[in-house]
Amino acid sequence: MKFATFNVNGIGARLPRLLEWLAEARPDVVGLQEIKTQTESFPLAAIEAAGYHVLVHGQKGFNGVAILSREPAQEIHRQLPGDEEDVQSRWIEAQVAGVHFVCLYLPNGNPVPGPKFDYKLAWMDRMLARAAELAASEQPVILAGDWNVCPTDLDLARPDMMAGDALVQPETRARFRALAAAGWTDAIRAQRPHAPCYSYWDYQAGAWAKNWGLRIDHLMLSPAAADRLRDTGIDREVRGAERASDHVPAWVELA
DNA sequence: ATGGTCGGGAACCGA
């Protein structure tokens, strides 16, 4: 079973690229981030025609997540618990293909310091609490998404240019490391300990041409899921297409 | 060089 994550940066602009990639990569389950549309405006018919069931948690203009799956998914939650006032669409959980699959879009958090960075750190604390609940269930769980975290300096091409950025701050990285301490496996890094494995290249300043990338799209596996890990990948070539997203798909294959 | 380029949605905000 192949589980993927893909920040499409606007489903309206990206639908042709997404359909091409679905046909080529044939994932069983995909978490999408930054669909940037309301739930009722999601291109449901086109995705269903491609052979996928759809769960959508949209938002007008910003954020928005969805889970596509070849077999029907049972929705569990569509909000990260812990803050009733948080109305941003950044989280959806479902039981699908024998796995508890979470699709998340972690806040960017820039500029630092400021309210957006505070929101990021508080959101990560809520995420850690939910991850602990899920890990305690001892079932296979995948936390997949755009984490907006470069876990170490191996995960970005130009650490010098990013020193003040929310994605690399010690407070950000410490919260991400807490997942590993709690038994979660960063699947892509576990399989390739020394390769950069970038998943994002900025639209600006020729970042793709210069390979100034970041690894920020991660699939974190609970112990029961990690036991079944067979393969991982990053579909880098997707970034070179016309009208590409600034992110590319990342995926894991479980036995 | 405190730059640059997208998407959404109709002037800027977010990344």
Side-chain angles (χ1 to χ4, degrees):
Chain A
M1 283 283 179
K2 187 173 182 179
F3 299 85
T5 177
F6 187 11
N7 180 325
V8 293
N9 189 16
I11 189 67
R14 215 66 64 215
L15 184 60
R17 296 291 84 78
L18 175 61
L19 292 172
E20 284 169 7
W21 174 75
L22 288 173
E24 173 75 20
R26 299 193 63 77
D28 295 285
V29 180
V30 188
L32 303 181
Q33 301 87 37
E34 280 203 273
I35 61 172
K36 293 185 171 179
T37 185
Q38 297 174 91
T39 299
E40 50 270 32
S41 304
F42 189 88
L44 201 56
I47 300 293
E48 287 178 344
Y52 288 86
H53 299 268
V54 182
L55 296 175
V56 185
H57 183 194
Q59 181 178 337
K60 184 178 171 63
F62 305 100
N63 307 318
V65 289
I67 295 175
L68 318 184
S69 55
R70 298 197 75 82
E71 64 181 58
Q74 182 195 343
E75 183 173 320
I76 308 292
H77 287 305
R78 55 173 53 214
Q79 275 296 355
L80 174 59
D83 183 358
E84 299 295 318
E85 318 243 305
D86 185 0
V87 294
Q88 298 191 32
S89 298
R90 296 180 174 277
W91 185 275
I92 188 167
E93 294 181 29
Q95 190 73 34
V96 59
V99 164
H100 191 113
F101 187 83
V102 178
C103 172
L104 65 93
Y105 176 47
L106 204 148
N108 174 291
N110 281 304
V112 180
K116 290 185 178 180
F117 189 55
D118 296 340
Y119 173 65
K120 176 176 197 154
L121 297 182
W123 199 99
M124 293 187 83
D125 287 337
R126 290 162 58 201
M127 178 274 297
L128 288 168
R130 181 61 183 146
E133 288 180 358
L134 292 171
S137 73
E138 299 190 14
Q139 60 180 330
V141 184
I142 302 177
L143 309 178
D146 174 0
W147 289 73
N148 271 312
V149 177
C150 291
T152 74
D153 278 356
L154 177 60
D155 300 303
L156 70 165
R158 295 297 305 267
D160 56 320
M161 292 172 63
M162 292 279 289
D165 197 280
L167 280 61
V168 304
Q169 293 311 298
E171 300 93 327
T172 305
R173 286 176 162 175
R175 284 164 174 79
F176 188 83
R177 275 200 307 276
L179 283 172
W184 296 86
T185 297
D186 178 346
I188 287 164
R189 180 51 74 225
Q191 198 182 35
R192 295 181 188 78
H194 307 298
C197 301
Y198 302 142
S199 62
Y200 165 93
W201 295 261
D202 202 296
Y203 287 125
Q204 302 183 70
W208 168 243
K210 291 183 282 199
N211 194 28
W212 285 0
L214 310 175
R215 188 177 78 94
I216 54 177
D217 298 277
H218 311 304
L219 298 110
M220 305 299 290
L221 309 184
S222 73
D227 286 345
R228 291 165 49 187
L229 180 59
R230 271 195 176 156
D231 199 8
T232 72
I234 301 217
D235 293 339
R236 219 186 129 88
E237 69 284 355
V238 170
R239 185 64 178 83
E242 290 298 315
R243 295 198 78 188
S245 172
D246 41 5
H247 295 251
V248 299
W251 52 268
V252 301
E253 194 170 326
L254 301 190

